[in-house]
Amino acid sequence: MANKRKLKKRINLICEALFAECVAVSLYGPSPNKENLNAHAFSIVKLQDNAIRRVSHPEPGVQAKKYFKDLREQFSAQVSDILDQINA
């Protein structure tokens, strides 16, 4: 990890891309479902908020390298889950 600022920017860019994908699927997909769109959008915003908060306030007593590695892995897993839900 280079620094917290770059990590926050990457998180924001990934979440923006997820949100754009969600909107694109809702507009151009076979059957737009407003409830699913709202649920996916909410989960993206919640994911972004949670990840940014974890970057800003790391847990005390945990080594930084281990903490941020775990953060990246969990964030990637959640992004994959959201993408699978959007594409389904």
Side-chain angles (χ1 to χ4, degrees):
M1 183 190 76
N3 61 23
K4 290 181 182 182
R5 185 182 320 147
K6 287 184 181 181
L7 183 58
K8 287 180 184 180
K9 284 183 182 183
R10 289 180 183 153
I11 289 171
N12 285 329
L13 288 173
I14 291 169
C15 290
E16 287 174 13
L18 276 176
F19 195 80
E21 180 73 21
C22 183
V23 171
V25 166
S26 71
L27 292 175
Y28 303 115
S31 59
N33 188 349
K34 204 168 204 178
E35 291 178 9
N36 282 342
L37 172 66
N38 290 338
H40 294 313
F42 179 73
S43 65
I44 293 168
V45 171
K46 188 175 172 183
L47 170 68
Q48 180 181 13
D49 184 49
N50 186 25
I52 296 294
R53 285 179 189 220
R54 285 186 63 192
V55 170
S56 298
H57 304 288
E59 294 179 19
V62 179
Q63 293 178 353
K65 187 174 183 177
K66 183 178 178 182
Y67 178 78
F68 287 110
K69 181 180 179 184
D70 182 54
L71 172 68
R72 287 191 305 267
E73 289 173 357
Q74 288 181 1
F75 182 75
S76 296
Q78 290 174 344
V79 167
S80 297
D81 289 342
I82 292 173
L83 274 176
D84 291 340
Q85 292 174 0
I86 290 171
N87 291 329

